[in-house]
Amino acid sequence: MPVDIAEISELIAEGRKFTWDNFAEKNRRHGGADVLSVAWLVWLDRVNAVTAQMEPSVIKSMIVEGASTKLVGYAEDTFERAKKLLLNGLEAVVVRSNRTIPASDRVVSLGHNSPEQQQALEKLDELVAAVKETNDFPGEPEEREQIVAELSAGRRLLEAARVRVAAVRETLGPALKWISEKAGGAVIGKLAADFWQYLSHLHIF
């Protein structure tokens, strides 16, 4: 049974929110993890359910090792290592899948109001504002209007919890490429490059 890449992307987004401070209550005497939080337990249970569907592999072994790490009674470095094993393994599943699934069929989960989604929207808003306000826009007024419209349309897509990779690429790709080629050394060019790089981090570009 193939794994659900959108669900794994969602698990990655949720997993990044866990920190040493919020994944468990701490023991007052020795400072180690004492009682695991409900959120961590539910997330870990979902990870285990997904892992159970995978064929044996190095990636699966990494996720299993992270999930089976004993955390109660241990310090922060143990938690950080387990979290890294889990997230690296899940991200490897997405990367491996991206190599076999056509972009037109791939869906990426950003999660509503997740840090990843919020940062993507903030970066895009900053770029749109810069395009509107810059005095040295490398094109005609009609081109500026077109670029703003395309970027704004892309923002609507990124506001959803899940986005189809092909839709985002087709909407934002031409506008970002145009800005990078026409104004690579200007502020808007640098903002476009930074936004492109961030979308690549989210496995969209």
Side-chain angles (χ1 to χ4, degrees):
M1 180 178 179
V3 295
D4 186 339
I5 297 301
E7 182 179 3
I8 291 179
S9 297
E10 192 172 295
L11 285 171
I12 292 171
E14 292 178 10
R16 287 174 178 155
K17 299 177 185 178
F18 289 109
T19 66
W20 170 250
D21 294 327
N22 67 22
F23 96 101
E25 296 179 13
K26 308 303 181 300
N27 186 291
R28 293 184 178 180
R29 286 188 302 158
H30 57 68
D34 192 9
V35 179
L36 302 178
S37 70
V38 172
W40 174 264
L41 289 171
V42 171
W43 181 78
L44 203 59
D45 187 64
R46 290 175 58 203
V47 170
N48 286 331
V50 168
T51 308
Q53 302 173 26
M54 298 179 186
E55 296 293 330
S57 67
V58 174
I59 294 175
K60 178 176 180 177
S61 297
M62 177 180 287
I63 299 173
V64 170
E65 181 181 351
S68 60
T69 300
K70 293 183 179 180
L71 298 175
V72 174
Y74 289 86
E76 184 174 359
D77 58 340
T78 302
F79 162 73
E80 292 295 346
R81 182 177 185 276
K83 177 182 173 182
K84 189 170 184 178
L85 286 168
L86 287 161
L87 291 180
N88 283 2
L90 292 171
E91 289 176 2
V93 174
V94 174
V95 171
R96 183 177 62 183
S97 175
N98 288 349
R99 294 175 178 174
T100 58
I101 299 177
S104 58
D105 295 330
R106 285 199 290 114
V107 174
V108 172
S109 177
L110 300 179
H112 275 306
N113 298 318
S114 68
E116 291 74 21
Q117 183 187 53
Q118 290 303 310
Q119 189 166 359
L121 294 176
E122 288 172 6
K123 287 180 178 294
L124 182 50
D125 288 344
E126 185 178 7
L127 174 58
V128 170
V131 171
K132 289 181 178 179
E133 298 168 4
T134 183
N135 293 321
D136 56 350
F137 182 79
E140 299 297 324
E142 293 79 8
E143 289 177 302
R144 187 200 300 259
E145 184 178 350
Q146 176 187 345
I147 293 298
V148 169
E150 291 175 352
L151 294 176
S152 299
R155 192 188 197 286
R156 292 290 301 275
L157 294 175
L158 294 176
E159 288 173 353
R162 293 185 178 187
V163 297
R164 190 170 300 282
V165 170
V168 177
R169 286 183 175 181
E170 291 172 4
T171 304
L172 289 174
L176 294 176
K177 184 178 180 181
W178 189 91
I179 295 173
S180 297
E181 291 178 350
K182 298 289 185 177
V187 172
I188 60 173
K190 294 176 181 177
L191 290 174
D194 178 61
F195 182 50
W196 184 293
Q197 184 175 6
Y198 189 71
L199 291 181
S200 298
H201 167 70
L202 297 179
H203 307 294
I204 293 177
F205 279 128

